[in-house]
Amino acid sequence: MDGSAESEAKIGRVREWLAGQDHTGVLLTSNANFSWITAGGRGHIPLSEERGVASVLVTQDRAVVITTNIEGGRLVDEELPECFQVAEYPWQAPEVAGRSPLEQVAADLTGSDDFVVDLPTAQAKVAGPQLSRLRTVLVEPEIDRYRELGRDAAFALESACRAVNPKESELDMAAHIAALSYERGMDPVVNLVAGDERIPRYRHPLPTALRFSHSLMAVLVARRGGLHACLTRIVCFGEPDADRKARQAACARIDARMIAASIPGRELSGVLVAGIEQYAAEGFADEWRRHHQGGTTGYAGREVFATPSSKDRLKANQAVAWNPSVTGAKSEDTVLVTETGSEVLTESGHWPLLDIEMDGDVFRRPALLVR
């Protein structure tokens, strides 16, 4: 399936959804949806914004990328499959009667104001959450791209863990991770680093100028072609004590339990409950409350977070990223859910692993790297 065939299949999904709605079309404005429907195209300029510089209008008979005259040429040359038309408007075009230039072009193309959007705009109606669910089941070309992304993300983070030296700063480590990510065409959209005492103190440690000496935790969410690969690794400079080893092993078992529970048809809440039960079995009954436990991933760091009330059911060819943590320890990888079992995508084959037996299967989870 080439890019056009993949995009046409996804356009078909959107049209099936649209057929059940009372609207003339749908306007996909988020970077996530743009990358999904264009088979990995980049619709962003700033990394930090949810809405990109290009949107995709889908009706029952057209699929049109709407953008400014700044971006049209690059998108056609470098980002878009041939199945898309392109409509440009001047970058300086004004709002008219409170309606943005983007909305004006969409209205002209549909012949109506009766279209919906994925993110709020000045006047258009916002589509329901089922629209974003269309992108969560991956097709084969996406799975192949995800496997490559996962290997590259693992290589980048693990190589940085092996290259960094004690007495460097957390910012130095973040720079190593970013450089290795960009070398492989990945955006490090989450790049967290904690050294020494900051590891047990913070679940989301933004890197600082503090220097570390005996331990380091690094978290990477790498994005390429819209897909996100999430993983965490911990390095110890010198042999870790028994408590640290025990906590990491407990996290590995909780992680394995959640991966084992991630089967098609199961509600996310059911997977979370399995994890909570394992927390209790490990002697850390309340630690799950200190941080979210992850959920489905794909075109967002987390598409849906698992909570005790989550009703979303897992499907084959969805990706999950669980991230159980016990104070001072954490386990996280990106995993593909299939009809025949789970496949860890963020695995390089060059990191120490713990073999965890769970429900009759063996799950290999990240151990501490001792340097």
Side-chain angles (χ1 to χ4, degrees):
M1 185 184 289
D2 62 19
S4 285
E6 180 182 334
S7 286
E8 287 170 350
K10 292 173 178 178
I11 291 166
R13 282 193 204 177
V14 175
R15 285 175 174 155
E16 287 179 13
W17 174 86
L18 193 59
Q21 312 294 315
D22 189 23
H23 303 293
T24 56
V26 58
L27 188 60
L28 304 176
T29 68
S30 71
N31 286 316
N33 282 332
F34 182 90
S35 290
W36 169 69
I37 203 166
T38 60
R42 295 172 296 176
H44 68 83
I45 298 300
L47 292 176
S48 58
E49 295 183 4
E50 187 176 11
R51 177 176 282 115
V53 295
S55 302
V56 180
L57 176 69
V58 178
T59 69
Q60 291 297 353
D61 59 1
R62 309 182 74 172
V64 185
V65 172
I66 305 174
T67 188
T68 69
N69 62 304
I70 302 173
E71 308 297 340
R74 180 185 65 83
L75 292 172
V76 170
D77 291 343
E78 299 180 345
E79 307 294 344
L80 297 178
E82 294 180 355
C83 59
F84 290 97
Q85 299 172 294
V86 176
E88 295 182 359
Y89 60 87
W91 66 265
Q92 76 277 18
E95 288 189 358
V96 175
R99 192 167 60 178
S100 69
L102 172 62
E103 291 171 298
Q104 294 171 45
V105 175
D108 290 342
L109 290 170
T110 60
S112 167
D113 289 327
D114 189 24
F115 57 87
V116 290
V117 295
D118 57 351
L119 296 177
T121 61
Q123 293 188 356
K125 298 176 183 177
V126 179
Q130 288 306 313
L131 177 62
S132 64
R133 302 295 197 269
L134 298 179
R135 68 181 189 231
T136 59
V137 175
L138 306 170
V139 298
E140 284 302 320
E142 286 173 304
I143 293 171
D144 290 341
R145 294 197 297 271
Y146 223 153
R147 289 184 177 120
E148 293 176 2
L149 169 62
R151 287 192 294 269
D152 284 348
F155 177 87
L157 186 62
E158 294 171 7
S159 296
C161 287
R162 287 189 167 88
V164 71
N165 294 309
K167 308 302 182 183
E168 287 190 274
S169 73
E170 294 171 349
L171 287 172
D172 291 329
M173 177 59 171
H176 287 306
I177 296 168
L180 288 163
S181 297
Y182 282 121
E183 282 178 8
R184 286 156 183 78
M186 303 181 297
D187 298 319
V189 293
V190 176
N191 187 354
L192 305 179
V193 181
D196 300 339
E197 289 75 19
R198 291 186 77 231
I199 298 174
R201 190 173 299 167
Y202 306 116
R203 256 41 177 205
H204 288 154
L206 295 174
T208 72
L210 291 173
R211 300 185 182 279
F212 51 87
S213 59
H214 56 80
S215 58
L216 181 73
M217 181 179 75
V219 181
L220 173 64
V221 179
R223 181 180 69 185
R224 186 170 66 201
L227 293 168
H228 292 65
C230 317
L231 67 160
T232 297
R233 299 291 185 263
I234 299 177
V235 185
C236 294
F237 303 98
E239 191 65 25
D241 61 29
D243 180 65
R244 168 158 275 175
K245 288 181 179 179
R247 286 171 177 261
Q248 187 63 32
C251 277
R253 287 189 289 269
I254 298 164
D255 199 6
R257 178 77 182 275
M258 297 182 79
I259 294 171
S262 300
I263 60 175
R266 180 157 292 164
E267 290 183 350
L268 290 182
S269 58
V271 182
L272 179 60
V273 166
I276 292 171
E277 290 173 350
Q278 192 66 36
Y279 270 101
E282 300 293 338
F284 298 104
D286 291 327
E287 285 283 307
W288 71 274
R289 300 179 186 276
R290 298 178 181 274
H291 187 231
H292 74 76
Q293 301 301 298
T296 54
T297 186
Y299 286 90
R302 296 296 186 274
E303 295 278 12
V304 179
F305 286 96
T307 70
S309 59
S310 300
K311 298 301 181 185
D312 285 72
R313 292 186 181 274
L314 289 171
K315 300 180 179 65
N317 295 336
Q318 279 188 313
V320 295
W322 305 115
N323 48 259
S325 60
V326 171
T327 300
K330 185 183 175 188
S331 183
E332 179 184 20
D333 272 305
T334 302
V335 176
L336 182 69
V337 175
T338 76
E339 293 285 3
T340 57
S342 58
E343 177 186 347
V344 178
L345 300 177
T346 44
E347 191 172 74
S348 69
H350 301 289
W351 189 266
L353 300 171
L354 299 171
D355 288 341
I356 309 295
E357 187 172 346
M358 194 69 60
D359 297 342
D361 292 318
V362 174
F363 297 85
R364 310 197 75 194
R365 305 308 307 124
L368 302 170
L369 174 67
V370 180
R371 289 180 49 196

